[in-house]
């Protein structure tokens, strides 16, 4: 039996593991639209690294920092992988630490839920994006977050079958609170120095034929070319995440 342990985040090419999806409300209402206004900014010159101030209150009175655009983010999160390996009864599941990507790759976090039907419409677009950028210094990680619909049932996510990236479980909700993620199909892009450069939607329309603004692809192109990201934050199109208990 293969021993489970910490896994290193590297290029997404050829890496196929289990997927975790974020929970959506029963209505799975679409959030955002093709006419939604993106908060675009002309990027400024790099600033001196500063620690994010603690602003977010977590359950139990604990104070957590909040990730801010164009500021360094905390990546020292070790999360259990979903379906990464079969372990013996009682053995700890394989884990992945996001900090391992810092200084090596630009990191793309894909936040998703267990049953959001909107993700299905992005299957081909997600596959193409990962294929196009996997060899350009980008690591992709899927993050399942929000309250589970069936807490006692094992996670069985369809994305694991068609996206060759590691998927981890944000079981405590700490990561979605830190990155202020409220919907599935939200992406956070952290450059190789550990600075958050983009947070938001994949693009501006569920219908691939009507996409006018490929926000995420444009952000990755800019980083790959060493250019500032123009549109840094825009509302996502997805399902609302159930709040943690």
């Amino acid at each position: 039996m293969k021993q489970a342990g910490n896994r290193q985040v590297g290029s997404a090419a050829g890496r196929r593991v289990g997927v975790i999806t974020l929970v959506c409300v029963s209505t799975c209402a679409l959030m955002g639209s093709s006419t939604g206004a993106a908060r675009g900014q002309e990027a400024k010159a790099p600033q001196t690294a500063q620690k994010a101030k603690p602003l977010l209150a977590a359950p139990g009175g604990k104070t957590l920092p909040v990730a801010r655009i164009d500021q360094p983010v905390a990546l020292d999160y070790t999360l259990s992988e979903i379906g990464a390996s079969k372990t013996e009864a009682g053995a700890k599941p394989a884990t992945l630490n996001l900090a391992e990507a810092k200084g090596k790759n630009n990191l793309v976090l894909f936040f998703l839920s267990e049953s959001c039907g909107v993700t299905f419409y992005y299957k081909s677009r997600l596959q193409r994006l990962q294929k196009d950028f996997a060899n350009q210094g980008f690591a992709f990680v899927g993050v399942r977050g929000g309250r589970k619909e069936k807490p006692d049932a094992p996670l069985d996510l369809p994305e694991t079958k068609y996206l060759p990236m590691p998927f981890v479980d944000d079981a405590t909700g700490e990561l979605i609170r830190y990155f202020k993620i409220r919907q599935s199909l939200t992406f956070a892009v952290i450059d190789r120095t550990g600075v958050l450069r983009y947070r938001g939607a994949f693009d501006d329309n569920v219908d691939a034929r009507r996409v006018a603004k490929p926000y995420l692809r444009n952000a990755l192109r800019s980083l790959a070319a060493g250019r500032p990201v123009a549109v840094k934050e825009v509302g996502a199109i997805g399902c609302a995440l159930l709040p943690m208990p």
Side-chain angles (χ1 to χ4, degrees), residues 61-206:
K62 182 181 178 182
T63 301
L64 298 173
V66 175
R68 294 176 177 271
I69 294 292
D70 287 338
Q71 293 295 318
V73 297
L75 289 176
D76 193 16
Y77 290 91
T78 299
L79 304 171
S80 296
E81 287 197 57
I82 302 298
S85 61
K86 301 293 183 182
T87 56
E88 297 179 354
K92 293 183 177 180
T95 60
L96 182 148
N97 192 300
L98 299 180
E100 294 173 1
K102 184 176 180 179
K104 301 176 184 178
N105 295 288
N106 299 293
L107 180 63
V108 181
L109 297 179
F110 166 32
F111 292 90
L112 65 163
S113 70
E114 295 169 40
S115 59
C116 182
V118 181
T119 308
F120 172 80
Y121 295 98
Y122 282 85
K123 176 180 177 180
S124 296
R125 278 173 276 182
L126 286 164
Q127 289 174 322
R128 286 196 300 269
L129 184 85
Q130 190 174 3
K131 181 179 179 180
D132 291 346
F133 289 95
N135 295 321
Q136 296 189 50
F138 289 88
F140 293 78
V141 177
V143 182
R144 189 219 69 82
R147 189 172 77 243
K148 293 180 181 178
E149 291 181 330
K150 300 177 181 179
D152 299 326
L155 289 167
D156 182 17
L157 310 172
E159 289 81 0
T160 58
K161 299 175 176 62
Y162 61 80
L163 290 176
M165 66 175 73
F167 283 80
V168 295
D169 188 10
D170 183 25
T172 65
E174 188 172 8
L175 203 60
I176 63 171
R177 285 192 293 266
Y178 177 64
F179 281 98
K180 298 193 293 185
I181 306 299
R182 297 179 177 86
Q183 299 156 235
S184 60
L185 272 170
T186 301
F187 297 82
V189 180
I190 300 105
D191 70 16
R192 65 186 66 221
T193 68
V195 174
L196 180 63
R197 296 302 186 186
Y198 175 77
R199 175 173 51 207
F202 189 97
D203 55 33
D204 65 339
N205 205 302
V206 174

